[in-house]
Amino acid sequence: NINLSICFFFNEQILYYCTRTLFLQKFSLFYLFIYFIFFFFWNISYLKNSEVDFIVIGEGEKPFKELLKLEFNKSKLIKREGIAFIWPNGKLFFNPKSKNLDLNKIPSPFSSEIIDVIKYRSWLIIETMRGCSYRCAFCEEPGRFKGLRYFSLGRIKNEFKYILDRSEYLEILDNNFNLNKRRTKEICLYLSELQKNYREKKKIAATLNYRFIDKKQINLFKRAGIVKVEIGLQTINPRAYRNLNRFPLN
């Protein structure tokens, strides 16, 4: 009987209170691990002063699978990359994050039916790429992934159809969905054709890079059903942009 808590924390104070609350519950067997999405906020030494058992670093699909497969056996996990924990004697074990995964070998949580799309139909999130070609000083993305990688268009199209056949809303969670204009155009044209199959147009959201938005893209977004966009406008101060290693505002 394993009670497993998977935690995504964005604030150290929240992390402390949540872990304390979970720890006080009477579980027959309890494991708490953190997947460091925003790894730069903390150091893995946090393990020494909390009730956290494991930290998964980098892309979590493979290390987390190993945690489950090896049943949280620390002596067997020492050869696995991307995992940190504390030995019973208090010594910290840290194996650096694993290499970038082949994105197309990661099973789809949607078409594999691991996630019940109909149950969560009001809010579904998908990524079509990982990483970023920029190196903004304030962003965690360059530290999490090396380079920019894409899921294949064939896979993305299949997932879009699977989700939109069962859901009313989809959010594309890429940092810069429109970074590659040719790829963006192909995806939007596919979505516009897909929308014709539905009585009511499905609603899609995306995060865009304002540098690449033009009238042609706006028209493509409209046809694709993209009704909500997010744009990262950190500052309008040119000096601040330079200091942050951010691309300039036009």
mmCIF file with all atom_site columns, all heavy atoms in Angstrom, residues 11-33:
data_model
loop_
_atom_site.group_PDB
_atom_site.id
_atom_site.type_symbol
_atom_site.label_atom_id
_atom_site.label_alt_id
_atom_site.label_comp_id
_atom_site.label_asym_id
_atom_site.label_entity_id
_atom_site.label_seq_id
_atom_site.pdbx_PDB_ins_code
_atom_site.Cartn_x
_atom_site.Cartn_y
_atom_site.Cartn_z
_atom_site.occupancy
_atom_site.B_iso_or_equiv
_atom_site.pdbx_formal_charge
_atom_site.auth_seq_id
_atom_site.auth_comp_id
_atom_site.auth_asym_id
_atom_site.auth_atom_id
_atom_site.pdbx_PDB_model_num
ATOM 1   N N   . ASN A 1 11 ? 7.167  27.919 -4.849 1.00 0.00 ? 11 ASN A N   1
ATOM 2   C CA  . ASN A 1 11 ? 7.509  28.820 -3.772 1.00 0.00 ? 11 ASN A CA  1
ATOM 3   C C   . ASN A 1 11 ? 8.010  27.984 -2.603 1.00 0.00 ? 11 ASN A C   1
ATOM 4   O O   . ASN A 1 11 ? 7.361  27.031 -2.184 1.00 0.00 ? 11 ASN A O   1
ATOM 5   C CB  . ASN A 1 11 ? 6.275  29.640 -3.366 1.00 0.00 ? 11 ASN A CB  1
ATOM 6   C CG  . ASN A 1 11 ? 6.546  30.569 -2.217 1.00 0.00 ? 11 ASN A CG  1
ATOM 7   O OD1 . ASN A 1 11 ? 6.697  30.146 -1.078 1.00 0.00 ? 11 ASN A OD1 1
ATOM 8   N ND2 . ASN A 1 11 ? 6.620  31.858 -2.524 1.00 0.00 ? 11 ASN A ND2 1
ATOM 9   N N   . GLU A 1 12 ? 9.168  28.347 -2.070 1.00 0.00 ? 12 GLU A N   1
ATOM 10  C CA  . GLU A 1 12 ? 9.781  27.527 -1.029 1.00 0.00 ? 12 GLU A CA  1
ATOM 11  C C   . GLU A 1 12 ? 8.947  27.483 0.239  1.00 0.00 ? 12 GLU A C   1
ATOM 12  O O   . GLU A 1 12 ? 8.890  26.477 0.933  1.00 0.00 ? 12 GLU A O   1
ATOM 13  C CB  . GLU A 1 12 ? 11.186 28.058 -0.720 1.00 0.00 ? 12 GLU A CB  1
ATOM 14  C CG  . GLU A 1 12 ? 11.968 27.129 0.204  1.00 0.00 ? 12 GLU A CG  1
ATOM 15  C CD  . GLU A 1 12 ? 13.426 27.502 0.292  1.00 0.00 ? 12 GLU A CD  1
ATOM 16  O OE1 . GLU A 1 12 ? 13.840 28.458 -0.391 1.00 0.00 ? 12 GLU A OE1 1
ATOM 17  O OE2 . GLU A 1 12 ? 14.135 26.844 1.047  1.00 0.00 ? 12 GLU A OE2 1
ATOM 18  N N   . GLN A 1 13 ? 8.264  28.573 0.552  1.00 0.00 ? 13 GLN A N   1
ATOM 19  C CA  . GLN A 1 13 ? 7.421  28.596 1.748  1.00 0.00 ? 13 GLN A CA  1
ATOM 20  C C   . GLN A 1 13 ? 6.241  27.646 1.592  1.00 0.00 ? 13 GLN A C   1
ATOM 21  O O   . GLN A 1 13 ? 5.889  26.897 2.512  1.00 0.00 ? 13 GLN A O   1
ATOM 22  C CB  . GLN A 1 13 ? 6.915  30.023 2.004  1.00 0.00 ? 13 GLN A CB  1
ATOM 23  C CG  . GLN A 1 13 ? 6.286  30.192 3.380  1.00 0.00 ? 13 GLN A CG  1
ATOM 24  C CD  . GLN A 1 13 ? 5.956  31.635 3.678  1.00 0.00 ? 13 GLN A CD  1
ATOM 25  O OE1 . GLN A 1 13 ? 5.780  32.442 2.773  1.00 0.00 ? 13 GLN A OE1 1
ATOM 26  N NE2 . GLN A 1 13 ? 5.886  31.979 4.949  1.00 0.00 ? 13 GLN A NE2 1
ATOM 27  N N   . ILE A 1 14 ? 5.640  27.659 0.398  1.00 0.00 ? 14 ILE A N   1
ATOM 28  C CA  . ILE A 1 14 ? 4.548  26.724 0.124  1.00 0.00 ? 14 ILE A CA  1
ATOM 29  C C   . ILE A 1 14 ? 5.057  25.291 0.219  1.00 0.00 ? 14 ILE A C   1
ATOM 30  O O   . ILE A 1 14 ? 4.399  24.412 0.781  1.00 0.00 ? 14 ILE A O   1
ATOM 31  C CB  . ILE A 1 14 ? 3.954  26.987 -1.273 1.00 0.00 ? 14 ILE A CB  1
ATOM 32  C CG1 . ILE A 1 14 ? 3.287  28.367 -1.308 1.00 0.00 ? 14 ILE A CG1 1
ATOM 33  C CG2 . ILE A 1 14 ? 2.924  25.916 -1.635 1.00 0.00 ? 14 ILE A CG2 1
ATOM 34  C CD1 . ILE A 1 14 ? 2.821  28.780 -2.688 1.00 0.00 ? 14 ILE A CD1 1
ATOM 35  N N   . LEU A 1 15 ? 6.255  25.065 -0.312 1.00 0.00 ? 15 LEU A N   1
ATOM 36  C CA  . LEU A 1 15 ? 6.854  23.733 -0.252 1.00 0.00 ? 15 LEU A CA  1
ATOM 37  C C   . LEU A 1 15 ? 6.976  23.262 1.195  1.00 0.00 ? 15 LEU A C   1
ATOM 38  O O   . LEU A 1 15 ? 6.628  22.133 1.523  1.00 0.00 ? 15 LEU A O   1
ATOM 39  C CB  . LEU A 1 15 ? 8.227  23.763 -0.917 1.00 0.00 ? 15 LEU A CB  1
ATOM 40  C CG  . LEU A 1 15 ? 9.103  22.512 -0.773 1.00 0.00 ? 15 LEU A CG  1
ATOM 41  C CD1 . LEU A 1 15 ? 8.416  21.312 -1.414 1.00 0.00 ? 15 LEU A CD1 1
ATOM 42  C CD2 . LEU A 1 15 ? 10.464 22.736 -1.385 1.00 0.00 ? 15 LEU A CD2 1
ATOM 43  N N   . TYR A 1 16 ? 7.465  24.139 2.080  1.00 0.00 ? 16 TYR A N   1
ATOM 44  C CA  . TYR A 1 16 ? 7.658  23.751 3.476  1.00 0.00 ? 16 TYR A CA  1
ATOM 45  C C   . TYR A 1 16 ? 6.344  23.356 4.136  1.00 0.00 ? 16 TYR A C   1
ATOM 46  O O   . TYR A 1 16 ? 6.230  22.294 4.744  1.00 0.00 ? 16 TYR A O   1
ATOM 47  C CB  . TYR A 1 16 ? 8.307  24.901 4.247  1.00 0.00 ? 16 TYR A CB  1
ATOM 48  C CG  . TYR A 1 16 ? 8.380  24.643 5.740  1.00 0.00 ? 16 TYR A CG  1
ATOM 49  C CD1 . TYR A 1 16 ? 9.346  23.783 6.267  1.00 0.00 ? 16 TYR A CD1 1
ATOM 50  C CD2 . TYR A 1 16 ? 7.467  25.228 6.613  1.00 0.00 ? 16 TYR A CD2 1
ATOM 51  C CE1 . TYR A 1 16 ? 9.407  23.521 7.623  1.00 0.00 ? 16 TYR A CE1 1
ATOM 52  C CE2 . TYR A 1 16 ? 7.522  24.969 7.975  1.00 0.00 ? 16 TYR A CE2 1
ATOM 53  C CZ  . TYR A 1 16 ? 8.491  24.119 8.470  1.00 0.00 ? 16 TYR A CZ  1
ATOM 54  O OH  . TYR A 1 16 ? 8.541  23.859 9.809  1.00 0.00 ? 16 TYR A OH  1
ATOM 55  N N   . TYR A 1 17 ? 5.336  24.196 4.017  1.00 0.00 ? 17 TYR A N   1
ATOM 56  C CA  . TYR A 1 17 ? 4.068  23.932 4.692  1.00 0.00 ? 17 TYR A CA  1
ATOM 57  C C   . TYR A 1 17 ? 3.354  22.713 4.110  1.00 0.00 ? 17 TYR A C   1
ATOM 58  O O   . TYR A 1 17 ? 2.750  21.926 4.850  1.00 0.00 ? 17 TYR A O   1
ATOM 59  C CB  . TYR A 1 17 ? 3.166  25.165 4.629  1.00 0.00 ? 17 TYR A CB  1
ATOM 60  C CG  . TYR A 1 17 ? 3.611  26.258 5.559  1.00 0.00 ? 17 TYR A CG  1
ATOM 61  C CD1 . TYR A 1 17 ? 4.048  27.475 5.067  1.00 0.00 ? 17 TYR A CD1 1
ATOM 62  C CD2 . TYR A 1 17 ? 3.613  26.065 6.937  1.00 0.00 ? 17 TYR A CD2 1
ATOM 63  C CE1 . TYR A 1 17 ? 4.484  28.478 5.923  1.00 0.00 ? 17 TYR A CE1 1
ATOM 64  C CE2 . TYR A 1 17 ? 4.050  27.055 7.803  1.00 0.00 ? 17 TYR A CE2 1
ATOM 65  C CZ  . TYR A 1 17 ? 4.484  28.265 7.288  1.00 0.00 ? 17 TYR A CZ  1
ATOM 66  O OH  . TYR A 1 17 ? 4.908  29.244 8.135  1.00 0.00 ? 17 TYR A OH  1
ATOM 67  N N   . CYS A 1 18 ? 3.448  22.538 2.794  1.00 0.00 ? 18 CYS A N   1
ATOM 68  C CA  . CYS A 1 18 ? 2.795  21.379 2.176  1.00 0.00 ? 18 CYS A CA  1
ATOM 69  C C   . CYS A 1 18 ? 3.460  20.076 2.593  1.00 0.00 ? 18 CYS A C   1
ATOM 70  O O   . CYS A 1 18 ? 2.787  19.091 2.908  1.00 0.00 ? 18 CYS A O   1
ATOM 71  C CB  . CYS A 1 18 ? 2.808  21.513 0.652  1.00 0.00 ? 18 CYS A CB  1
ATOM 72  S SG  . CYS A 1 18 ? 1.639  22.729 0.019  1.00 0.00 ? 18 CYS A SG  1
ATOM 73  N N   . THR A 1 19 ? 4.788  20.065 2.623  1.00 0.00 ? 19 THR A N   1
ATOM 74  C CA  . THR A 1 19 ? 5.490  18.837 3.009  1.00 0.00 ? 19 THR A CA  1
ATOM 75  C C   . THR A 1 19 ? 5.243  18.507 4.481  1.00 0.00 ? 19 THR A C   1
ATOM 76  O O   . THR A 1 19 ? 5.109  17.346 4.844  1.00 0.00 ? 19 THR A O   1
ATOM 77  C CB  . THR A 1 19 ? 7.002  18.944 2.740  1.00 0.00 ? 19 THR A CB  1
ATOM 78  O OG1 . THR A 1 19 ? 7.515  20.122 3.368  1.00 0.00 ? 19 THR A OG1 1
ATOM 79  C CG2 . THR A 1 19 ? 7.274  19.002 1.257  1.00 0.00 ? 19 THR A CG2 1
ATOM 80  N N   . ARG A 1 20 ? 5.186  19.526 5.323  1.00 0.00 ? 20 ARG A N   1
ATOM 81  C CA  . ARG A 1 20 ? 4.892  19.283 6.734  1.00 0.00 ? 20 ARG A CA  1
ATOM 82  C C   . ARG A 1 20 ? 3.493  18.679 6.897  1.00 0.00 ? 20 ARG A C   1
ATOM 83  O O   . ARG A 1 20 ? 3.290  17.741 7.654  1.00 0.00 ? 20 ARG A O   1
ATOM 84  C CB  . ARG A 1 20 ? 4.976  20.595 7.527  1.00 0.00 ? 20 ARG A CB  1
ATOM 85  C CG  . ARG A 1 20 ? 6.389  21.091 7.742  1.00 0.00 ? 20 ARG A CG  1
ATOM 86  C CD  . ARG A 1 20 ? 7.228  20.150 8.555  1.00 0.00 ? 20 ARG A CD  1
ATOM 87  N NE  . ARG A 1 20 ? 6.644  19.858 9.865  1.00 0.00 ? 20 ARG A NE  1
ATOM 88  C CZ  . ARG A 1 20 ? 7.102  18.933 10.688 1.00 0.00 ? 20 ARG A CZ  1
ATOM 89  N NH1 . ARG A 1 20 ? 8.120  18.173 10.325 1.00 0.00 ? 20 ARG A NH1 1
ATOM 90  N NH2 . ARG A 1 20 ? 6.537  18.748 11.858 1.00 0.00 ? 20 ARG A NH2 1
ATOM 91  N N   . THR A 1 21 ? 2.540  19.220 6.164  1.00 0.00 ? 21 THR A N   1
ATOM 92  C CA  . THR A 1 21 ? 1.156  18.730 6.241  1.00 0.00 ? 21 THR A CA  1
ATOM 93  C C   . THR A 1 21 ? 1.074  17.283 5.781  1.00 0.00 ? 21 THR A C   1
ATOM 94  O O   . THR A 1 21 ? 0.442  16.436 6.430  1.00 0.00 ? 21 THR A O   1
ATOM 95  C CB  . THR A 1 21 ? 0.225  19.602 5.377  1.00 0.00 ? 21 THR A CB  1
ATOM 96  O OG1 . THR A 1 21 ? 0.310  20.946 5.846  1.00 0.00 ? 21 THR A OG1 1
ATOM 97  C CG2 . THR A 1 21 ? -1.209 19.131 5.482  1.00 0.00 ? 21 THR A CG2 1
ATOM 98  N N   . LEU A 1 22 ? 1.734  16.990 4.671  1.00 0.00 ? 22 LEU A N   1
ATOM 99  C CA  . LEU A 1 22 ? 1.692  15.630 4.142  1.00 0.00 ? 22 LEU A CA  1
ATOM 100 C C   . LEU A 1 22 ? 2.389  14.655 5.088  1.00 0.00 ? 22 LEU A C   1
ATOM 101 O O   . LEU A 1 22 ? 1.947  13.531 5.292  1.00 0.00 ? 22 LEU A O   1
ATOM 102 C CB  . LEU A 1 22 ? 2.367  15.594 2.764  1.00 0.00 ? 22 LEU A CB  1
ATOM 103 C CG  . LEU A 1 22 ? 1.592  16.265 1.631  1.00 0.00 ? 22 LEU A CG  1
ATOM 104 C CD1 . LEU A 1 22 ? 2.495  16.435 0.411  1.00 0.00 ? 22 LEU A CD1 1
ATOM 105 C CD2 . LEU A 1 22 ? 0.361  15.452 1.253  1.00 0.00 ? 22 LEU A CD2 1
ATOM 106 N N   . PHE A 1 23 ? 3.502  15.105 5.678  1.00 0.00 ? 23 PHE A N   1
ATOM 107 C CA  . PHE A 1 23 ? 4.292  14.230 6.534  1.00 0.00 ? 23 PHE A CA  1
ATOM 108 C C   . PHE A 1 23 ? 3.521  13.828 7.794  1.00 0.00 ? 23 PHE A C   1
ATOM 109 O O   . PHE A 1 23 ? 3.697  12.729 8.324  1.00 0.00 ? 23 PHE A O   1
ATOM 110 C CB  . PHE A 1 23 ? 5.592  14.950 6.931  1.00 0.00 ? 23 PHE A CB  1
ATOM 111 C CG  . PHE A 1 23 ? 6.508  14.118 7.772  1.00 0.00 ? 23 PHE A CG  1
ATOM 112 C CD1 . PHE A 1 23 ? 7.175  13.030 7.229  1.00 0.00 ? 23 PHE A CD1 1
ATOM 113 C CD2 . PHE A 1 23 ? 6.720  14.420 9.109  1.00 0.00 ? 23 PHE A CD2 1
ATOM 114 C CE1 . PHE A 1 23 ? 8.025  12.259 7.992  1.00 0.00 ? 23 PHE A CE1 1
ATOM 115 C CE2 . PHE A 1 23 ? 7.567  13.655 9.882  1.00 0.00 ? 23 PHE A CE2 1
ATOM 116 C CZ  . PHE A 1 23 ? 8.227  12.579 9.316  1.00 0.00 ? 23 PHE A CZ  1
ATOM 117 N N   . LEU A 1 24 ? 2.663  14.705 8.283  1.00 0.00 ? 24 LEU A N   1
ATOM 118 C CA  . LEU A 1 24 ? 1.932  14.436 9.515  1.00 0.00 ? 24 LEU A CA  1
ATOM 119 C C   . LEU A 1 24 ? 0.805  13.426 9.326  1.00 0.00 ? 24 LEU A C   1
ATOM 120 O O   . LEU A 1 24 ? 0.249  12.922 10.297 1.00 0.00 ? 24 LEU A O   1
ATOM 121 C CB  . LEU A 1 24 ? 1.365  15.748 10.071 1.00 0.00 ? 24 LEU A CB  1
ATOM 122 C CG  . LEU A 1 24 ? 2.423  16.742 10.593 1.00 0.00 ? 24 LEU A CG  1
ATOM 123 C CD1 . LEU A 1 24 ? 1.762  18.055 10.971 1.00 0.00 ? 24 LEU A CD1 1
ATOM 124 C CD2 . LEU A 1 24 ? 3.172  16.151 11.776 1.00 0.00 ? 24 LEU A CD2 1
ATOM 125 N N   . GLN A 1 25 ? 0.464  13.135 8.052  1.00 0.00 ? 25 GLN A N   1
ATOM 126 C CA  . GLN A 1 25 ? -0.571 12.138 7.814  1.00 0.00 ? 25 GLN A CA  1
ATOM 127 C C   . GLN A 1 25 ? -0.024 10.741 8.107  1.00 0.00 ? 25 GLN A C   1
ATOM 128 O O   . GLN A 1 25 ? 1.149  10.458 7.895  1.00 0.00 ? 25 GLN A O   1
ATOM 129 C CB  . GLN A 1 25 ? -1.058 12.226 6.364  1.00 0.00 ? 25 GLN A CB  1
ATOM 130 C CG  . GLN A 1 25 ? -1.711 13.565 6.043  1.00 0.00 ? 25 GLN A CG  1
ATOM 131 C CD  . GLN A 1 25 ? -2.269 13.584 4.647  1.00 0.00 ? 25 GLN A CD  1
ATOM 132 O OE1 . GLN A 1 25 ? -2.899 12.630 4.216  1.00 0.00 ? 25 GLN A OE1 1
ATOM 133 N NE2 . GLN A 1 25 ? -2.027 14.663 3.934  1.00 0.00 ? 25 GLN A NE2 1
ATOM 134 N N   . LYS A 1 26 ? -0.890 9.858  8.599  1.00 0.00 ? 26 LYS A N   1
ATOM 135 C CA  . LYS A 1 26 ? -0.457 8.518  8.985  1.00 0.00 ? 26 LYS A CA  1
ATOM 136 C C   . LYS A 1 26 ? -0.552 7.566  7.799  1.00 0.00 ? 26 LYS A C   1
ATOM 137 O O   . LYS A 1 26 ? -1.597 6.982  7.513  1.00 0.00 ? 26 LYS A O   1
ATOM 138 C CB  . LYS A 1 26 ? -1.333 7.996  10.136 1.00 0.00 ? 26 LYS A CB  1
ATOM 139 C CG  . LYS A 1 26 ? -1.322 8.900  11.368 1.00 0.00 ? 26 LYS A CG  1
ATOM 140 C CD  . LYS A 1 26 ? 0.074  9.022  11.965 1.00 0.00 ? 26 LYS A CD  1
ATOM 141 C CE  . LYS A 1 26 ? 0.065  9.867  13.217 1.00 0.00 ? 26 LYS A CE  1
ATOM 142 N NZ  . LYS A 1 26 ? 1.397  10.005 13.815 1.00 0.00 ? 26 LYS A NZ  1
ATOM 143 N N   . PHE A 1 27 ? 0.566  7.456  7.069  1.00 0.00 ? 27 PHE A N   1
ATOM 144 C CA  . PHE A 1 27 ? 0.598  6.559  5.911  1.00 0.00 ? 27 PHE A CA  1
ATOM 145 C C   . PHE A 1 27 ? 1.383  5.302  6.276  1.00 0.00 ? 27 PHE A C   1
ATOM 146 O O   . PHE A 1 27 ? 2.373  5.354  7.003  1.00 0.00 ? 27 PHE A O   1
ATOM 147 C CB  . PHE A 1 27 ? 1.270  7.238  4.717  1.00 0.00 ? 27 PHE A CB  1
ATOM 148 C CG  . PHE A 1 27 ? 0.447  8.342  4.116  1.00 0.00 ? 27 PHE A CG  1
ATOM 149 C CD1 . PHE A 1 27 ? 1.070  9.462  3.589  1.00 0.00 ? 27 PHE A CD1 1
ATOM 150 C CD2 . PHE A 1 27 ? -0.936 8.260  4.075  1.00 0.00 ? 27 PHE A CD2 1
ATOM 151 C CE1 . PHE A 1 27 ? 0.321  10.484 3.029  1.00 0.00 ? 27 PHE A CE1 1
ATOM 152 C CE2 . PHE A 1 27 ? -1.686 9.275  3.514  1.00 0.00 ? 27 PHE A CE2 1
ATOM 153 C CZ  . PHE A 1 27 ? -1.065 10.392 2.987  1.00 0.00 ? 27 PHE A CZ  1
ATOM 154 N N   . SER A 1 28 ? 0.946  4.152  5.747  1.00 0.00 ? 28 SER A N   1
ATOM 155 C CA  . SER A 1 28 ? 1.678  2.915  5.982  1.00 0.00 ? 28 SER A CA  1
ATOM 156 C C   . SER A 1 28 ? 3.023  2.958  5.255  1.00 0.00 ? 28 SER A C   1
ATOM 157 O O   . SER A 1 28 ? 4.026  2.454  5.738  1.00 0.00 ? 28 SER A O   1
ATOM 158 C CB  . SER A 1 28 ? 0.856  1.725  5.480  1.00 0.00 ? 28 SER A CB  1
ATOM 159 O OG  . SER A 1 28 ? 0.519  1.890  4.116  1.00 0.00 ? 28 SER A OG  1
ATOM 160 N N   . LEU A 1 29 ? 3.052  3.554  4.078  1.00 0.00 ? 29 LEU A N   1
ATOM 161 C CA  . LEU A 1 29 ? 4.295  3.730  3.332  1.00 0.00 ? 29 LEU A CA  1
ATOM 162 C C   . LEU A 1 29 ? 4.130  5.000  2.523  1.00 0.00 ? 29 LEU A C   1
ATOM 163 O O   . LEU A 1 29 ? 3.201  5.126  1.738  1.00 0.00 ? 29 LEU A O   1
ATOM 164 C CB  . LEU A 1 29 ? 4.551  2.536  2.414  1.00 0.00 ? 29 LEU A CB  1
ATOM 165 C CG  . LEU A 1 29 ? 5.849  2.553  1.606  1.00 0.00 ? 29 LEU A CG  1
ATOM 166 C CD1 . LEU A 1 29 ? 7.047  2.654  2.549  1.00 0.00 ? 29 LEU A CD1 1
ATOM 167 C CD2 . LEU A 1 29 ? 5.965  1.294  0.757  1.00 0.00 ? 29 LEU A CD2 1
ATOM 168 N N   . PHE A 1 30 ? 5.016  5.940  2.712  1.00 0.00 ? 30 PHE A N   1
ATOM 169 C CA  . PHE A 1 30 ? 4.807  7.256  2.133  1.00 0.00 ? 30 PHE A CA  1
ATOM 170 C C   . PHE A 1 30 ? 6.097  7.760  1.491  1.00 0.00 ? 30 PHE A C   1
ATOM 171 O O   . PHE A 1 30 ? 7.165  7.704  2.087  1.00 0.00 ? 30 PHE A O   1
ATOM 172 C CB  . PHE A 1 30 ? 4.363  8.228  3.223  1.00 0.00 ? 30 PHE A CB  1
ATOM 173 C CG  . PHE A 1 30 ? 4.289  9.664  2.776  1.00 0.00 ? 30 PHE A CG  1
ATOM 174 C CD1 . PHE A 1 30 ? 3.255  10.074 1.956  1.00 0.00 ? 30 PHE A CD1 1
ATOM 175 C CD2 . PHE A 1 30 ? 5.246  10.574 3.184  1.00 0.00 ? 30 PHE A CD2 1
ATOM 176 C CE1 . PHE A 1 30 ? 3.187  11.387 1.544  1.00 0.00 ? 30 PHE A CE1 1
ATOM 177 C CE2 . PHE A 1 30 ? 5.187  11.886 2.780  1.00 0.00 ? 30 PHE A CE2 1
ATOM 178 C CZ  . PHE A 1 30 ? 4.149  12.294 1.963  1.00 0.00 ? 30 PHE A CZ  1
ATOM 179 N N   . TYR A 1 31 ? 5.988  8.231  0.267  1.00 0.00 ? 31 TYR A N   1
ATOM 180 C CA  . TYR A 1 31 ? 7.122  8.836  -0.415 1.00 0.00 ? 31 TYR A CA  1
ATOM 181 C C   . TYR A 1 31 ? 6.709  10.186 -0.965 1.00 0.00 ? 31 TYR A C   1
ATOM 182 O O   . TYR A 1 31 ? 5.631  10.334 -1.522 1.00 0.00 ? 31 TYR A O   1
ATOM 183 C CB  . TYR A 1 31 ? 7.617  7.972  -1.581 1.00 0.00 ? 31 TYR A CB  1
ATOM 184 C CG  . TYR A 1 31 ? 8.265  6.690  -1.151 1.00 0.00 ? 31 TYR A CG  1
ATOM 185 C CD1 . TYR A 1 31 ? 7.615  5.473  -1.311 1.00 0.00 ? 31 TYR A CD1 1
ATOM 186 C CD2 . TYR A 1 31 ? 9.535  6.687  -0.577 1.00 0.00 ? 31 TYR A CD2 1
ATOM 187 C CE1 . TYR A 1 31 ? 8.210  4.283  -0.915 1.00 0.00 ? 31 TYR A CE1 1
ATOM 188 C CE2 . TYR A 1 31 ? 10.132 5.505  -0.177 1.00 0.00 ? 31 TYR A CE2 1
ATOM 189 C CZ  . TYR A 1 31 ? 9.471  4.310  -0.351 1.00 0.00 ? 31 TYR A CZ  1
ATOM 190 O OH  . TYR A 1 31 ? 10.057 3.145  0.041  1.00 0.00 ? 31 TYR A OH  1
ATOM 191 N N   . LEU A 1 32 ? 7.573  11.151 -0.811 1.00 0.00 ? 32 LEU A N   1
ATOM 192 C CA  . LEU A 1 32 ? 7.341  12.474 -1.367 1.00 0.00 ? 32 LEU A CA  1
ATOM 193 C C   . LEU A 1 32 ? 8.544  12.839 -2.227 1.00 0.00 ? 32 LEU A C   1
ATOM 194 O O   . LEU A 1 32 ? 9.682  12.759 -1.778 1.00 0.00 ? 32 LEU A O   1
ATOM 195 C CB  . LEU A 1 32 ? 7.177  13.508 -0.243 1.00 0.00 ? 32 LEU A CB  1
ATOM 196 C CG  . LEU A 1 32 ? 7.038  14.973 -0.671 1.00 0.00 ? 32 LEU A CG  1
ATOM 197 C CD1 . LEU A 1 32 ? 5.743  15.183 -1.439 1.00 0.00 ? 32 LEU A CD1 1
ATOM 198 C CD2 . LEU A 1 32 ? 7.089  15.883 0.544  1.00 0.00 ? 32 LEU A CD2 1
ATOM 199 N N   . PHE A 1 33 ? 8.275  13.220 -3.469 1.00 0.00 ? 33 PHE A N   1
ATOM 200 C CA  . PHE A 1 33 ? 9.388  13.651 -4.302 1.00 0.00 ? 33 PHE A CA  1
ATOM 201 C C   . PHE A 1 33 ? 9.008  14.924 -5.022 1.00 0.00 ? 33 PHE A C   1
ATOM 202 O O   . PHE A 1 33 ? 7.851  15.240 -5.210 1.00 0.00 ? 33 PHE A O   1
ATOM 203 C CB  . PHE A 1 33 ? 9.815  12.574 -5.301 1.00 0.00 ? 33 PHE A CB  1
ATOM 204 C CG  . PHE A 1 33 ? 9.021  12.547 -6.568 1.00 0.00 ? 33 PHE A CG  1
ATOM 205 C CD1 . PHE A 1 33 ? 9.449  13.263 -7.676 1.00 0.00 ? 33 PHE A CD1 1
ATOM 206 C CD2 . PHE A 1 33 ? 7.844  11.822 -6.657 1.00 0.00 ? 33 PHE A CD2 1
ATOM 207 C CE1 . PHE A 1 33 ? 8.715  13.240 -8.847 1.00 0.00 ? 33 PHE A CE1 1
ATOM 208 C CE2 . PHE A 1 33 ? 7.115  11.805 -7.815 1.00 0.00 ? 33 PHE A CE2 1
ATOM 209 C CZ  . PHE A 1 33 ? 7.549  12.510 -8.919 1.00 0.00 ? 33 PHE A CZ  1
#
